Amino acid sequence: MTREEWLTQAVEELRPVFDDLHPLPQKIRVTCGFPSVRSTALKKRIGEHWSPKASEDQTHEILISPVLDDAVEVFAVLVHELGHAATDGDGHQGRFPGLMRSLHLEGKPTATVAGTKFREVFKDLIEGLGEYPHARLNVGNHKKQATRMLKASCPACGYTVRLTAKWSGLGLPICPVDHVQFI
């Protein structure tokens, strides 16, 4: 089973739960991927819902961050994002906060978490899905590249130097051997 199959199955298992509160729309696509504003901080933007107005085929799009690999945590983020799909247009206000409380998610509407009651209520459903088939992506280990050096060389003799884009933008140097401008 792929991550997307696991997430899609979770959506289908959650439909009856949402039907009693705020029914889910039929067209929902869910995937594991970075939210629109890619964050390298481990706990920022771990899920995102896109309204069908943004989708060419009028589908609710849900992204679950690849920095998550715990099935309960992923499931809780999915429930939160499905809450946005069910209350499309409310953001974190209106019907949304009440729906989150009804689904046993704790915390501010902008940052809900799976508490004890959530884990209790959804334990069997999550266990039925099996392990989340994903290994956490450690974005905190990603080393940001330092200044990229550009290569400039003399077309006559091949004398080579490296310089930043800032300095190359001001003008390339002259070869000390042939007195020709570098390229």
Side-chain angles (χ1 to χ4, degrees), residues 1 3-19 22-31 49 59-64 74-75 77-83 85-86 122 125 129:
M1 179 182 289
R3 301 175 294 209
E4 285 71 21
E5 290 169 336
W6 191 96
L7 292 164
T8 300
Q9 182 62 38
V11 171
E12 294 310 311
E13 297 285 338
L14 282 163
R15 281 191 184 280
V17 174
F18 275 85
D19 282 345
H22 287 281
L24 291 173
Q26 284 304 305
K27 294 174 78 175
I28 297 174
R29 206 171 4 248
V30 62
T31 191
H49 165 259
T59 300
H60 290 264
E61 303 280 352
I62 295 175
L63 302 164
I64 306 296
V74 169
F75 193 82
V77 171
L78 178 62
V79 168
H80 177 103
E81 300 309 330
L82 288 172
F122 292 110
L125 199 154
L129 291 167

Side-chain angles (χ1 to χ4, degrees), residues 13-55:
E13 297 285 338
L14 282 163
R15 281 191 184 280
V17 174
F18 275 85
D19 282 345
D20 294 337
L21 304 166
H22 287 281
L24 291 173
Q26 284 304 305
K27 294 174 78 175
I28 297 174
R29 206 171 4 248
V30 62
T31 191
C32 175
F34 283 108
S36 61
V37 178
R38 185 168 177 243
S39 174
T40 55
L42 294 180
K43 293 295 179 185
K44 289 186 179 179
R45 282 260 172 117
I46 54 176
E48 191 169 75
H49 165 259
W50 282 78
S51 172
K53 295 173 190 137
S55 172

Side-chain angles (χ1 to χ4, degrees), residues 21 31 33 56 58 67-68 80 97 100 135 180:
L21 304 166
T31 191
E56 287 292 324
Q58 309 304 300
V67 303
L68 304 177
H80 177 103
M100 292 299 97
V180 177

Side-chain angles (χ1 to χ4, degrees), residues 89-172:
D90 284 10
H92 292 108
Q93 300 170 349
R95 302 166 291 172
F96 183 79
L99 178 58
M100 292 299 97
R101 284 190 300 277
S102 297
L103 292 165
H104 312 291
L105 285 171
E106 298 175 359
K108 300 183 303 183
T110 55
T112 59
V113 294
T116 306
K117 182 71 174 174
F118 180 90
R119 293 170 188 274
E120 212 174 90
V121 168
F122 292 110
K123 181 179 188 253
D124 292 340
L125 199 154
I126 296 167
E127 285 178 359
L129 291 167
E131 284 189 41
Y132 182 54
H134 172 72
R136 177 183 175 168
L137 186 60
N138 294 308
V139 295
N141 295 343
H142 179 70
K143 184 179 176 185
K144 186 176 178 183
Q145 180 178 341
T147 304
R148 182 178 293 255
M149 300 299 282
L150 303 175
K151 182 178 175 182
S153 61
C154 174
C157 69
Y159 189 104
T160 302
V161 296
R162 297 202 178 264
L163 66 163
T164 65
K166 173 186 172 183
W167 295 114
S168 71
L170 293 174
L172 293 173

